């Protein structure tokens, strides 16, 4: 069993939800989100995500939590 341990006052809470559809080869611009956690869930396909210092490959059914104040970039595999 995996756990997520956060030490971040104030505690995270849900603000807004949404969805994106990427086509193979699409790239999301590099950005830094301030003071917000971002939960990325992959419904289908493969998403390559880089958030310094992590580089992850997310497949259908997997998720990744982007932490605030770090540069991140997303691209979609074929």
């Amino acid at each position: 069993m995996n756990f997520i341990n956060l030490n971040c006052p104030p505690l995270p809470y849900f603000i807004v939800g949404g969805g994106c559809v990427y086509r193979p080869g699409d790239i999301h611009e590099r950005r830094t989100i301030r003071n917000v956690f971002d939960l990325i869930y992959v419904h289908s396909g493969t998403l390559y995500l880089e958030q310094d210092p992590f580089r992850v490959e997310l497949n259908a059914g997997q998720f990744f939590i982007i932490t605030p104040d770090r540069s991140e970039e997303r691209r979609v595999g074929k």
Side-chain angles (χ1 to χ4, degrees), residues 29-31 33 50-51 66 70-74:
E29 68 182 56
R30 182 168 286 278
R31 66 181 180 170
I33 301 175
E50 180 179 332
Q51 184 188 33
I66 296 176
R70 289 188 182 167
S71 178
E72 61 101 353
E73 181 177 48
R74 305 171 205 171

Side-chain angles (χ1 to χ4, degrees), residues 3-72:
F3 295 93
I4 297 174
N5 184 7
L6 301 172
N7 183 13
C8 56
L11 295 175
Y13 55 90
F14 181 74
I15 297 173
V16 67
C20 290
V21 176
Y22 291 98
R23 298 172 304 217
D26 281 355
I27 296 175
H28 187 284
E29 68 182 56
R30 182 168 286 278
R31 66 181 180 170
T32 301
I33 301 175
R34 303 284 180 212
N35 304 317
V36 175
F37 286 87
D38 197 356
L39 173 71
I40 303 294
Y41 174 79
V42 177
H43 182 266
S44 63
T46 302
L47 177 69
Y48 300 95
L49 189 138
E50 180 179 332
Q51 184 188 33
D52 298 330
F54 303 104
R55 297 177 109 182
V56 295
E57 178 179 310
L58 300 173
N59 296 299
Q62 295 181 314
F63 66 92
F64 186 81
I65 297 176
I66 296 176
T67 54
D69 305 320
R70 289 188 182 167
S71 178
E72 61 101 353

